[in-house]
Amino acid sequence: MPHFPSFDGLPLHYDVVGEGTGDPLVVLPGGPGMDARYLGDLGGLSASRRLIRLDGRAAGRSGVPLDRTTVSFTRQADDVEALREHLGMERLDILAHSAGTLTAQEYAVRHRNRVRRLVLVTPIGRAGRDIDTAELAGIRAGRAAEPWYPHAAAALAEDVTNPITRARLIPFHWHRWTPERRHEYHPSHASRLPWLREAFYSGTATPGPVLAPVLVVAGASDGMIGIAPARVVAAAHPCSRLEIMTESGHRPWVEEPELFRALVTGFL
C-alpha cells in the first residue's frame, strides 16, 4: 500500500484504482474523515481515468498527527501539494466529494498554477457549511409518504452527533432508499476520532475564487445538505458550471452512474 510523507512527515496513504489511459484524477473523500474506499470506482469512472484516492490525515489508512490543528481543511490542502510533489506531476485534475470539496477549493485557490480542472461533487459550501435549512427541510418533507420516513424524521430531533442517530438519517441521503443501499455503508470507513470533525472545520478559507474550470455536481434529492451549497460554490468561481442530477442524493455516482460518468468525463 503506497504511503508518502506529508509536509510534517506524517505518513499519508493513497491507492490507485483503474487503468484508464487519461491523465490521473486525484480524488479527495468527504466525511470529514471517511476512508476513501467508500468512493469505489466512482460509478465506473476508473475505466477512463486512473483514480488516485487519498486518505486524509487522521482518516482511513493514513497516520494520525499529534498536532490536531493540522487536520483542518486548510492544512490538508498542504497534503494535496505534498501528494502532487510525491507523484511528480506538474498539474492536477481533482475530484472531491462533500467535505473534501473544502480542501479542494482551498488548494485550488492557493496553488492556481497546479490545478487543471476541478470537480466538486455535492459540495458543502465555499468556506464552510452553506446549508439553507428551509430548503433542506423541504427536501426532507417531500419524502413524508415513504415508509421509512417516520423513523428517520424522529431522529432529526435527537443528538445528531450520536452514530446511531446518524444511521437513522441515512435514508434522507438518497433519491431512492432501498435495502441494497445499506451495502454502501461500512462502519470501518467512518472515523471514530471524536475530535476530528471540529478540527477539520476549524480552518479559515483563503479568500478568492478558483480560476480553473470547475464542475459542480449536486443531487436534487440530497436530504443531507440540500442543493444550496452547490449554488454557493458555483457562484463563487468564475469558470464554474452547475449540474443538478434529478434522480440522485448525496452520492450521485451510485444512483446515476452513467450520467455521472458522462458529465465528469466530458468536463475533463
Side-chain angles (χ1 to χ4, degrees), residues 143 173-178 181 219 221-222 245 247-260:
R143 314 297 293 277
H173 299 183
W174 298 89
H175 177 72
R176 291 187 181 88
W177 175 246
T178 64
R181 293 288 176 243
S221 300
D222 190 341
M245 296 177 60
E247 296 187 8
S248 288
H250 199 60
R251 298 188 183 186
W253 66 90
V254 176
E255 297 200 270
E256 295 182 271
E258 295 83 4
L259 176 57
F260 181 82

Side-chain angles (χ1 to χ4, degrees), residues 175-242:
H175 177 72
R176 291 187 181 88
W177 175 246
T178 64
E180 290 75 20
R181 293 288 176 243
R182 299 182 192 275
H183 299 301
E184 293 293 320
Y185 296 91
H186 301 272
S188 61
H189 287 175
S191 172
R192 296 186 180 183
L193 298 174
W195 52 266
L196 187 146
R197 187 177 185 85
E198 181 178 357
F200 180 85
Y201 288 115
S202 67
T204 300
T206 300
V210 173
L211 299 183
V214 180
L215 173 64
V216 181
V217 179
S221 300
D222 190 341
M224 179 180 180
I225 60 172
I227 307 170
R231 294 195 178 101
V232 169
V233 168
H237 309 308
C239 300
S240 66
R241 165 184 155 200
L242 174 62

Side-chain angles (χ1 to χ4, degrees), residues 140-161:
R140 290 169 171 171
R143 314 297 293 277
E146 301 192 40
W148 52 264
Y149 179 84
H151 186 64
L156 293 171
E158 300 176 11
D159 179 12
V160 294
T161 64

Side-chain angles (χ1 to χ4, degrees), residues 16 57 74 82 117 123 136 188 268:
V16 181
R57 57 181 50 223
T74 50
R117 287 180 175 82
L136 186 58
S188 61
L268 294 176

Side-chain angles (χ1 to χ4, degrees), residues 52-109:
I52 301 175
R53 306 183 307 185
L54 175 65
D55 280 330
R57 57 181 50 223
R61 295 151 288 179
S62 290
V64 179
L66 295 176
D67 182 356
R68 295 180 180 179
T69 65
T70 66
V71 176
S72 70
F73 71 87
T74 50
R75 296 303 303 276
Q76 291 203 44
D78 297 326
D79 293 331
V80 178
E81 176 63 4
L83 174 63
R84 184 197 65 78
E85 293 176 346
H86 171 74
L87 296 172
M89 299 174 62
E90 286 296 316
R91 302 177 74 195
L92 302 176
D93 287 333
I94 300 174
L95 182 149
H97 177 233
S98 194
T101 62
L102 291 180
T103 299
Q105 291 173 91
E106 179 70 12
Y107 180 77
V109 169

